[in-house]
Amino acid sequence: MLRFPKEFQWGAATASYQVEGAVSEDGRGESIWDRFSRTPGKVQNGDTGDTACDHYHRFPEDVKLMADIGIKAYRFSIAWPRIFPDGSGRANPEGLDFYSRLLDELQAHGIQPVPTLYHWDLPQVLEDKGGWPHRDTAYYFRDYAAHVFEAFRDRVSMWITHNEPWCASMLGYGFGVHAPGKQDFPAAMAAAHHLLLSHGLAVQAFRGLESTGQIGITLNLTPQYPASDDADDRAAARRADGFSNRWFLDPVFRGAYPQDMLGVLAEVQAAPPIEDDDLRVISAPLDFLGVNYYSRAIVGHGDQPPLHMEMKPPVYPVTKMDWEVYPDGLYRLLMRLHEDYGPIPLYVTENGACYEDTMVSGRVHDQARTQYLQSHFAAALRAIEQGVPLQGYYVWSLLDNFEWAHGYERRFGIVHVDFADQKRTLKDSALWYKKFLGQQLG
Ligand code: IFM
């Protein structure tokens, strides 16, 4: 049996646009994902987050489900357009009230709230003014964050500024597969810089409150393995690591962008728009780092500038996302983070798997998901045994939900959601998690 430290924080995660629905209720403003998902051809089957899991109305039931499973911490995100429908200016009391009621419900069930301030639902009005490639957006984010800190500082002790700024910038502004659907590499690099700047500004605002709570950032980190021992493949993997991991880790923990990558970007006129003092702000000391891990990548040398890298096919079985199941990648990632960027407390803020689920006589026998979780928990425990200060683990996701450009086609939940009638059913993976959590108490 896997035995974790007693105080280890076991949780589950969701995100506002993926689960809430109620997109036009109680004064919520439009977000870039409302606009993007309604643009024909952008999301599979034309799905939108209009209703999603209806968590906005059903959160009491969902909190009860978590309590029943034995989950002790809930990572959710706050929708900026609920709090500031116009991006800035006057706050919307009904938006704040929704999260206040959610906090009450969590407290009543002994579940720790862990809100993320930005999980990709930028108010559309701010996108219309230039979005993340525009520096002002970072300051709007700071003001939004400061307002939320002030409103909930007495009831929230752990905050996450951003979820996966790599995805928000690169998928949204570079590759165009996420909202707002732009394909402009220099704009994506500017967006990444302003997301990081906004993170640092929010941390400054938080520290200014002299709050006793903790604050960190969540990064999606993908270990990049060279396809062979060949020097060219190794160099390509190093660049891939620079692009997806070090580009975010280095400024946050070392106050500098990786020098090798600045060179690569300068070649294509995509260097970030850094102003005096930005890196000092971005590297404001943090209380923890949130790690989202799903898989590794295998990389070889490629011809395409600027990165000259090519993704190679996986070696081991994949999930329905085509992501290779590779628990050792989590172990190595945690060890590396500790060695290269520590000491810093770590949390796995997302880990989980998408598989084809079938309901048979009211049950979902998702053995592959259970195995995925079990093997990744074991990898995390190995890291803890090696001295890595890993303090918590959040399964992605509590519920089947709106999986961005894949819509409702891809299910990550440990709880099955029937999107026709919103019925929730614990999958076998949730029942396994419940048993596992019960054993941790024993
Ligand atoms: O659903 C997403 C989540 O919003 C961010 N991290 C990865 C998950 C699975 O793709």
Side-chain angles (χ1 to χ4, degrees):
M1 193 189 89
L2 304 174
R3 170 72 70 186
F4 281 74
K6 273 261 165 302
E7 64 287 358
F8 199 75
Q9 195 184 74
W10 288 104
T14 66
S16 47
Y17 190 74
Q18 293 182 273
V19 299
E20 285 179 2
V23 293
S24 313
E25 277 181 53
D26 297 335
R28 176 185 177 277
E30 188 188 11
S31 82
I32 54 174
W33 269 96
D34 296 302
R35 180 73 62 90
F36 184 76
S37 62
R38 286 175 193 157
T39 309
K42 297 296 185 195
V43 175
Q44 218 167 318
N45 304 320
D47 290 344
T48 70
D50 285 4
T51 308
C53 308
D54 197 28
H55 187 63
Y56 191 78
H57 299 111
R58 292 169 197 261
F59 71 87
E61 182 189 348
D62 295 335
V63 170
K64 200 162 165 302
L65 280 177
M66 281 191 274
D68 175 42
I69 296 170
I71 286 167
K72 288 278 172 266
Y74 179 38
R75 175 176 178 241
F76 59 97
S77 78
I78 295 180
W80 185 348
R82 282 200 197 283
I83 310 300
F84 287 103
D86 300 321
S88 61
R90 201 188 71 85
N92 171 29
E94 288 166 290
L96 286 163
D97 185 58
F98 165 62
Y99 295 105
S100 175
R101 286 181 286 121
L102 174 60
L103 291 177
D104 285 347
E105 200 68 24
L106 290 168
Q107 194 188 9
H109 288 81
I111 298 175
Q112 185 186 341
V114 183
T116 300
L117 288 161
Y118 188 74
H119 198 126
W120 310 349
D121 38 6
L122 182 70
Q124 181 64 41
V125 281
L126 295 185
E127 179 55 34
D128 296 341
K129 290 184 180 168
W132 286 110
H134 204 263
R135 191 175 171 91
D136 288 354
T137 307
Y139 294 91
Y140 288 128
F141 177 79
R142 177 202 54 196
D143 296 347
Y144 149 65
H147 196 91
V148 176
F149 293 148
E150 193 64 68
F152 299 133
R153 58 188 294 188
D154 300 340
R155 299 152 74 194
V156 172
S157 59
M158 191 171 161
W159 296 90
I160 296 172
T161 55
H162 281 282
N163 180 70
E164 304 181 350
W166 185 91
C167 294
S169 53
M170 299 305 152
L171 301 182
Y173 294 92
F175 305 124
V177 293
H178 277 190
K182 303 266 162 67
Q183 286 175 284
D184 177 344
F185 190 56
M189 295 313 299
H193 181 66
H194 296 140
L195 282 155
L196 287 173
L197 178 63
S198 75
H199 153 80
L201 291 167
V203 173
Q204 274 185 346
F206 183 73
R207 300 292 185 216
L209 292 173
E210 290 175 13
S211 165
T212 51
Q214 303 207 329
I215 192 160
I217 188 170
T218 280
L219 302 177
N220 55 306
L221 298 168
T222 307
Q224 309 286 332
Y225 286 65
S228 77
D229 247 353
D230 192 274
D232 283 348
D233 286 346
R234 295 175 73 87
R238 177 86 186 143
R239 283 192 298 278
D241 179 58
F243 179 57
S244 54
N245 302 325
R246 287 181 291 123
W247 192 257
F248 295 87
L249 288 164
D250 282 17
V252 169
F253 291 105
R254 296 182 175 163
Y257 283 111
Q259 204 56 44
D260 57 333
M261 297 313 293
L262 284 170
V264 169
L265 294 172
E267 274 174 43
V268 288
Q269 279 85 50
I274 308 170
E275 293 193 10
D276 284 355
D277 215 33
D278 282 3
L279 283 151
R280 190 186 62 78
V281 173
I282 291 171
S283 58
L286 295 183
D287 300 308
F288 64 90
L289 169 66
V291 179
N292 289 358
Y293 175 85
Y294 290 90
S295 187
R296 68 163 173 175
I298 305 175
V299 186
H301 179 81
D303 296 330
Q304 192 76 6
L307 293 168
H308 293 282
M309 63 183 220
E310 203 173 84
M311 306 310 281
K312 299 290 183 187
V315 174
Y316 296 103
V318 295
T319 66
K320 202 183 170 192
M321 300 297 279
D322 277 337
W323 297 346
E324 188 188 44
V325 179
Y326 197 69
D328 194 54
L330 176 60
Y331 166 74
R332 284 175 194 275
L333 173 63
L334 294 171
M335 295 295 289
R336 179 222 180 159
L337 291 171
H338 181 52
E339 279 157 20
D340 290 358
Y341 299 97
I344 178 89
L346 301 174
Y347 289 82
V348 172
T349 40
E350 282 181 30
N351 175 250
C354 172
Y355 286 106
E356 194 74 58
D357 290 326
T358 28
M359 177 82 82
V360 182
S361 315
R363 296 281 301 270
V364 179
H365 300 300
D366 58 339
Q367 208 193 343
R369 182 175 290 106
T370 304
Q371 255 166 23
Y372 179 99
L373 290 173
Q374 195 165 20
S375 60
H376 285 77
F377 287 8
L381 185 57
R382 261 203 296 150
I384 294 173
E385 285 163 356
Q386 295 297 313
V388 172
L390 181 69
Q391 305 197 339
Y393 205 115
Y394 293 73
V395 170
W396 184 270
S397 175
L398 175 68
L399 303 168
D400 289 335
N401 59 48
F402 177 81
E403 178 53 27
W404 307 113
H406 300 288
Y408 298 100
E409 257 280 299
R410 305 280 168 100
R411 293 175 179 267
F412 274 89
I414 55 171
V415 176
H416 180 272
V417 177
D418 183 331
F419 293 104
D421 62 8
Q422 293 294 342
K423 186 172 173 342
R424 274 75 163 139
T425 306
L426 299 195
K427 300 181 191 175
D428 283 3
S429 55
L431 298 172
W432 171 80
Y433 194 28
K434 177 175 176 162
K435 191 164 158 217
F436 169 84
L437 294 177
Q439 287 166 348
Q440 295 304 303
L441 296 175

